[in-house]
Amino acid sequence: MYRTNYCEIDLDVIRHNVGVMRACLADGVKFLAVVKADGYGHGAVQVARAALEAGASMLAVAIPEEGAQLRQAGIDAPILVLGGIECEAAEAVVACGLTQTVFDEARILALNAAGERLGRTAQVHLKLDTGMCRIGVRTPEEVRALVKLIDSLPHVELTGCFTHMATADEDEREDTYRQIARFEALCAAIASVHPGKIIRHAANTASIFRYPQAHFDMVRGGIALYGYPPVPEATGLRPAMRWVTRAVYVKTIHPGDRVSYGGLFEAERDTRVMTVPVGYADGYRRGMTGKGCVLVRGRRARILGRVCMDQIMVDVTDIPDAQAGDEVVLLGAQGDEMIDADEMAAWLGTISYEVLCSPGKRVPRVYMHE
C-alpha cells in the first residue's frame, strides 16, 4: 500500500453486534447474517467468518456470484441468494450448493434441470410478497401451486419461505402488522400442501428489535451487523468501519484566493488549507462539497471547495499544529470526535447503507482481530 487510504474493519465489533441481535431472540430462533454487497462494504468473507463465529446459522447474499466468492474462500455454511436469478445461472447456484430464492415456475424448473445434470438437489426458499411488491408470490393459490410443483420434482427441495418488511423502520406500524398477518396466512397455505418442516423468516433488522412476533424460525440481520441502528430500539451497537488517510500538504492562502474547481470557496482571511489524497474515485462522494468535514488531531475540519476525483482540501486554520503526514479520519472516531455513516448520509441526502458501500476498490480493507 503506497498511499495511506484504507478502511479499518474491527471484526470483534461485528461479533459484538451479532451478540446484540441474538440477545433479542427467543431460544431456538436462528440468526442469518446478511453479507451482500461485499458485506455492506466491509468485506463479505471476513464478516461472514466473524458472524458465524458469533453464532450465525446462515448467510445471505444478493446474487450467486457473491455466494460463489464465499464458497471459494472455504465457507461451507448455508448461503441464501436473496434475489432472483436468470435461468442460465441455475447450474452455478446448484454447483456452489447455494440456497436459491424462488417465486415462479421457470426458475424452479431450471434449478431442477441443473440438479439433474449435476446429480444434486437444489435447495430453495419460496419468497412471499406480503407488501413489498418487489419479488414473491402473493396469493394462497399461487403458493400452493408452486409448492406442489417443487414437491413433484426430484432435484428441488423446499427448505424455507420468507418475506421482507417494507416499513418496519417507520413510526406507523399498521402496515407491518398487516404484513405479518399475510405472511402467517401464506405459511398456512404452504403447510396445507407440504408435509415437511421448513424455516420461516420475516424479520429484517428493524423487526429484530421492534417486532418479536415476526421472528418465527429465523431472523435476518443486515445494517445492525455493521453497527448502525435502523430504529431507536436498536441499542448497544458499535460501528465496525473506520476510513483513514493522511494529509499530503498544508499551505496558507490569503483573502480572495479561491479553492478547487469553479472557485466555489473564496478565502475571507488567511486560511490554512490541508490537502488530503482522497476523492470521488475512492468513493468519497462529490456530494460532500460544501457540506462535509473530516477529523484532524481530534477536531473537525470542513471541506473547502469541490471534492475532486483524487483529492480534497480542508480548513485547518483553527488546528494550528496540523501538518502534512497527520492522520485524517473520513469516517469513524478520532480522539473524542466521531463522524459516523448516519451523519455522512445526512450530508448527502441518503442513508447509511449507501455510505458504507461507497469506499471503492482503491481503498483496501484492513482487518483487526481477524
Side-chain angles (χ1 to χ4, degrees), residues 16-318:
H16 165 83
N17 293 336
V18 171
V20 170
M21 286 182 277
R22 291 187 68 209
C24 299
L25 309 180
D27 289 345
V29 177
K30 296 181 178 181
F31 179 80
L32 175 153
V34 181
V35 296
K36 64 181 180 177
D38 196 27
Y40 290 43
H42 293 65
V45 170
Q46 291 82 1
V47 169
R49 287 177 177 149
L52 291 167
E53 289 165 4
S57 301
M58 193 172 195
L59 306 169
V61 296
I63 57 176
E65 290 88 340
E66 294 176 334
Q69 178 193 19
L70 297 177
R71 290 287 186 246
Q72 289 161 8
I75 293 172
D76 59 5
I79 300 171
L80 174 64
V81 179
L82 293 168
I85 55 166
E86 298 174 35
C87 291
E88 293 77 8
E91 189 157 327
V93 168
V94 177
C96 286
L98 307 177
T99 301
Q100 179 59 49
T101 296
V102 295
F103 43 82
D104 65 3
E105 181 177 323
R107 287 159 181 79
I108 293 168
L109 293 175
L111 288 162
N112 183 68
E116 184 174 12
R117 287 192 298 272
L118 295 172
R120 302 180 68 173
T121 298
Q123 295 193 346
V124 299
H125 282 203
L126 183 63
K127 182 65 180 287
L128 307 175
D129 179 8
T130 60
M132 187 74 174
C133 294
R134 193 163 58 181
I135 57 174
V137 291
R138 295 173 60 85
T139 69
E141 293 75 22
E142 290 177 298
V143 166
R144 285 191 286 266
L146 288 185
V147 171
K148 287 179 180 178
L149 173 63
I150 293 167
D151 287 346
S152 73
L153 298 171
H155 295 283
V156 182
E157 179 186 6
L158 181 66
T159 57
C161 70
F162 72 107
T163 195
H164 191 65
M165 298 301 174
T167 60
D169 57 346
E170 302 290 337
D171 291 335
E172 194 282 318
R173 302 195 178 200
E174 288 305 314
D175 282 348
T176 302
Y177 293 140
R178 280 192 288 269
Q179 282 198 260
I180 294 170
R182 288 172 187 159
F183 182 65
E184 290 173 330
L186 293 177
C187 287
I190 294 173
S192 71
V193 294
H194 181 78
K197 168 73 174 171
I198 63 172
I199 296 173
R200 303 163 300 157
H201 50 114
N204 57 0
T205 306
S207 304
I208 291 173
F209 296 97
R210 183 171 277 182
Y211 296 100
Q213 65 270 50
H215 290 178
F216 295 99
D217 302 310
M218 185 167 70
V219 302
R220 303 185 303 274
I223 190 64
L225 186 61
Y226 308 98
Y228 288 88
V231 289
E233 294 92 332
T235 59
L237 301 169
R238 290 156 44 196
M241 179 186 288
R242 186 170 177 263
W243 189 356
V244 179
T245 184
R246 290 195 180 276
V248 295
Y249 188 46
V250 177
K251 61 184 174 296
T252 299
I253 64 173
H254 306 293
D257 287 339
R258 300 165 72 193
V259 177
S260 196
Y261 293 112
L264 292 185
F265 173 81
E266 182 174 330
E268 296 178 353
R269 60 171 181 168
D270 285 351
T271 301
R272 297 184 75 234
V273 179
M274 173 180 281
T275 301
V276 179
V278 172
Y280 58 78
D282 300 292
Y284 196 80
R285 301 262 299 279
R286 195 168 183 266
M288 300 286 192
T289 298
K291 301 173 184 175
C293 65
V294 302
L295 302 181
V296 178
R297 298 195 173 216
R299 299 178 62 182
R300 289 178 175 242
R302 67 189 177 105
I303 294 172
L304 300 178
R306 282 201 175 101
V307 172
C308 307
M309 181 180 286
D310 312 297
Q311 300 175 86
I312 57 173
M313 283 65 73
V314 302
D315 186 351
V316 293
T317 307
D318 297 324

